[in-house]
Structure formats: C-alpha cells, structure tokens
Amino acid sequence: MSEGITLLVNPAAGRGRAAGAALPAARVLRDAGFAVRAVVGEDPADAVRRARAAVDRGTAAVVAVGGDGLVSLALRVVAGTGTPFGIVAAGTGNDTARACGLPTGDPAAAAALVAVALTAGRTRRVDAARVGDAWFGSVLASGFDSRVADRGNRMRWPRGPRRYDLAVIAELAGLRPVPYRIRLDGGPWRRLDATLVAVGNGASYGGGMRICPGARVDDGLLSVTVVGEVGRATLLRVFPRVYRGTHLTHPAVSVFEAARVELDAPGVTGYADGEPLGPLPLTAECVPGAVRLLAPADA
C-alpha cells in the first residue's frame, strides 16, 4: 500500500531557496489529494538511506526538491526501481530539470505537474548515467572546469560566486593541456591532449552552459565533448559560445557518442551534477530508461 509522496529536500540548495520551495510544493500536492512526507537527511548518505526506506515501503513517488546535486542523490534511490520520480527544481543550476523539459524557478508549477502526471499515471522513461555507485542526470566534467571547481572548493575566501571567479582566473594563469586517454564502448584507447572533456547525459551544466548540446535524455547514449589544446585567449573567446551551444564549430572541439565512456588523465577530478566523483580514471555508463519521470504530456 502506498504511503503517499516522498519529498526529498535539500534545504541548503540554491542558497536556501529549496527550503522555501518545499512548502508551496507540498501544499500543491496535498491540495491535489496526496499525502506528503518530507525527508531531510543529516548528510547525503542519510538522505539516501531515508529515501530508499520510503521506496521499500511503497511510496507513490519520490520528488527531489533542490538542485542537480540532490537530483543525483535521488537517482541513486529511484533508478531501476520503477518508482515514479519528480523534480521540483530549486537549486542554482537545475540542468537536469532543464534537460527533461521541466519547470525551473517555479516550485508550485513543478509540483502541479507532478500531481497531474501521477494522477493520470503518466510517466516518461528517461536515461540516467552511472559511475560506480553514483548517478548523474546532466554532465560529467573533467579538465579545466573540474580544476576550477577543485580550486574554488579549497578556497575559504571570498564567499559566494566571487570565489569561483577568482578560481577561473587562477586556473587560466596556469592553463595547460592534460594528457587524456579515452575509450568508447570498449574500443581502442584514444590518446589526446585536451583542455577539458565533458560527458553529457543532458546538454548543459553550470546553469545552462550547453557543453554537450547534442545530448538527449532518452536516446540511450552519452555525448562526449572534447576541447583540445587551446591557449588562454582562445578559451576566453570560445567559452561564451557554450551558452548557445555553438562552440562545436570550433576546430579544437570534437564530439563523440557512446553508451560507455572510460576517461583517464593524471591529476584530474571528475565532477558530475556539480558534485565530485573522485580522481580519474572513471567509467560512465548510460542506463537507458532507468527512470520513470513524472513529466508533462507533451514531453
């Protein structure tokens, strides 16, 4: 017997916006006739444990209220289970919700969509990507962008986005190509020097930077964008084009598709959905139709 809808909430997401988003989302779901139970873990591992327990008890759906990091935690719980999954995007980036055509910045609208889809029994099968026990919905980043994240995470001053602006400047000063090894679908290893390599289940990261614009969440494949060896001036000139996805026309950029992507490079940390996965080597696999997403009728 169903115990209602489980709201998995990260109160810190979006600099506190998720805590505020949970209240209107819960109100909309209750007004639609659903019982709602909020789950807030003491830490990520505890949040996963509590959400898994809800799935085991037969929750009608798991709804993540937060950003991409929380969505990736929720994917650990719902992927492969058949439990319907909804997203109330309330983080900073919200790239997985964007890739799936879901509302961002409007928790009431997102919750209303969940209620309508659940009432109608309407779900959409979408892919998720797996690296070991971790899952992600948008992009695995490595190279220049992950080095910026590494440096920004180590900095204690200044607080807020300014810290990452300074991290970009510091990494640009020491910009150098990274010797990568890449293998696609068990084929031969490719050796190349690259500024960054991104592996996308969805098209964007960082709140709308379309690093893998050809990625689709329902095609059973991962899109791999390789930015080769470039200088600082070229990177600064080309990178703004990422927001439109037009960087792919630059001769230093290559694109591949595969269901399984193996990456290896010295001194590089992989980040997926904005969260650190650990140092390379890493293997990302697309799991087709892993998630029953509560989605709009025209998705």
Side-chain angles (χ1 to χ4, degrees):
M1 183 174 178
S2 172
E3 62 162 16
I5 294 174
T6 300
L7 288 188
L8 182 60
V9 183
N10 178 5
R15 298 177 199 156
R17 285 194 298 271
L23 293 176
R27 186 180 307 115
V28 167
L29 293 170
R30 290 190 176 109
D31 287 347
F34 293 99
V36 177
R37 178 175 178 267
V39 168
V40 181
E42 296 179 1
D43 53 39
D46 184 54
V48 168
R49 181 185 63 79
R50 291 171 184 258
R52 278 203 179 118
V55 169
D56 290 343
R57 290 193 300 266
T59 187
V62 172
V63 178
V65 184
D68 291 316
L70 185 71
V71 171
S72 68
L73 286 181
L75 291 176
R76 298 188 188 193
V77 175
V78 300
T81 66
T83 298
F85 178 52
I87 301 174
V88 174
T92 303
N94 303 319
D95 289 288
T96 301
R98 188 176 290 107
C100 295
L102 301 178
T104 61
D106 191 339
L113 186 154
V114 166
V116 169
L118 196 55
T119 299
R122 185 181 66 239
T123 59
R124 173 192 177 195
R125 284 285 183 180
V126 298
D127 307 336
R130 179 170 58 196
V131 177
D133 293 333
W135 292 77
F136 65 95
S138 56
V139 174
L140 187 164
S142 72
F144 176 76
D145 40 10
S146 66
R147 287 178 184 271
V148 168
D150 276 341
R151 182 180 289 272
N153 289 343
R154 292 195 303 268
M155 294 168 64
R156 294 294 173 261
W157 182 91
R159 296 183 181 276
R162 179 70 175 158
R163 177 172 57 184
Y164 291 94
D165 293 340
L166 294 180
V168 167
I169 293 170
E171 287 300 323
L172 278 172
L175 183 67
R176 62 193 186 279
V178 176
Y180 274 90
R181 294 194 312 139
I182 302 175
R183 184 158 68 172
L184 306 176
D185 289 333
W189 284 98
R190 304 166 187 252
R191 297 177 183 271
L192 50 87
D193 291 334
T195 301
L196 65 87
V197 177
V199 180
N201 181 62
S204 67
Y205 63 0
M209 292 188 290
R210 296 174 57 79
I211 188 68
C212 299
R216 301 289 180 267
V217 295
D218 57 3
D219 64 357
L221 294 171
L222 301 171
S223 181
V224 184
T225 298
V226 177
V227 178
E229 184 175 354
V230 296
R232 287 189 290 273
T234 299
L235 186 62
L236 286 171
R237 186 170 63 253
V238 173
F239 201 76
R241 292 165 55 181
V242 172
Y243 286 95
R244 302 186 303 276
T246 58
H247 58 291
L248 300 189
T249 60
H250 192 277
V253 179
S254 302
V255 177
F256 308 94
E257 286 188 335
R260 176 184 171 94
V261 180
E262 297 172 74
L263 296 178
D264 192 9
V268 175
T269 301
Y271 279 73
D273 290 347
E275 302 295 325
L277 292 175
L280 273 55
L282 293 172
T283 299
E285 298 179 88
C286 181
V287 182
V291 179
R292 290 182 60 202
L293 184 70
L294 292 161
D298 56 354

